[in-house]
Amino acid sequence: MAKAEKVTAVAEITEKFRNSNAAVVTAYTGLSVAQIKQLRRSLGDNAQYRVVKNTLTKIAANEVGIQLDEHLKGSTAVAFVTGDPVEAAKGLRDFAKENPNLVIKGGVLEGKTLSADEIKKLADLESREVLLSKLAGAMKGKQSQAASLFQALPTKFVRTADALRAKLAEQGGAE
């Protein structure tokens, strides 16, 4: 690879790191071209899976301030995630279960380096949409509780006042 091509490749990888929410580093030795195509399709539009050269990727990662040196050994491909990192992590994890030749080495999420185990834990999370809907449901429930509480106070006051009025009427009528 000529020097100009390397400079262009480093600039391209650097740009991918900058534009991504997350990046997952994998080893792909033993996967066929058809399997890699299938993996790319399974990741969808939110992630781009690229086979990269380790030295060029190290340079690009260092330019962005990411330390991935320990993960950049052997055959390496990176999934650059622009959408929901949880969905991409699930896609990689599920594909790795079916194809044991895909090994998740580690990655980075919003500038923080992650181990392979942390990527798998990320895959176990529910998607952003599910978590937001659960939050909205919990907030709606709390609002309903508050409304019931505010409605109960005047009702209780009216019942107490009626009971007091009835008691005073009884006492007044008994004398």
Side-chain angles (χ1 to χ4, degrees):
M1 189 180 266
K3 184 169 174 87
E5 290 175 359
K6 289 180 182 179
V7 170
T8 305
V10 168
E12 192 176 312
I13 296 168
T14 302
E15 194 63 29
K16 294 227 180 274
F17 275 123
R18 283 195 178 116
N19 294 332
S20 300
N21 301 337
V24 181
V25 180
T26 64
Y28 64 92
T29 304
L31 291 178
S32 68
V33 172
Q35 288 173 318
I36 291 176
K37 279 184 180 179
Q38 180 186 358
L39 173 59
R40 285 183 173 135
R41 271 188 251 119
S42 72
L43 291 175
D45 296 334
N46 295 333
Q48 217 179 40
Y49 191 73
R50 280 198 55 191
V51 174
V52 294
K53 291 195 172 285
N54 291 334
T55 53
L56 301 180
T57 306
K58 282 179 191 178
I59 294 168
N62 289 333
E63 282 184 25
V64 179
I66 300 170
Q67 288 299 320
L68 290 176
D69 295 357
E70 66 190 59
H71 304 303
L72 298 173
K73 293 180 177 87
S75 64
T76 304
V78 180
F80 295 99
V81 183
T82 54
D84 187 6
V86 174
E87 286 182 36
K90 283 181 183 183
L92 287 166
R93 179 200 60 196
D94 295 344
F95 189 85
K97 282 181 184 176
E98 296 172 16
N99 302 285
N101 289 334
L102 180 74
V103 177
I104 298 172
K105 296 180 180 181
V108 63
L109 176 64
E110 295 179 2
K112 182 186 180 279
T113 305
L114 301 175
S115 68
D117 290 335
E118 290 172 320
I119 298 283
K120 289 173 185 167
K121 286 178 186 175
L122 181 66
D124 291 337
L125 290 176
E126 293 174 332
S127 71
R128 183 176 191 270
E129 289 77 22
V130 171
L131 291 174
L132 287 174
S133 66
K134 284 185 175 183
L135 177 64
M139 290 174 68
K140 183 179 177 188
K142 292 297 178 186
Q143 288 176 342
S144 296
Q145 286 177 343
S148 297
L149 176 67
F150 292 137
Q151 187 178 10
L153 290 174
T155 306
K156 191 172 182 180
F157 175 74
V158 169
R159 278 194 229 126
T160 305
D162 282 344
L164 183 59
R165 192 175 313 134
K167 186 175 179 180
L168 288 175
E170 261 182 40
Q171 288 177 353
E175 290 177 35

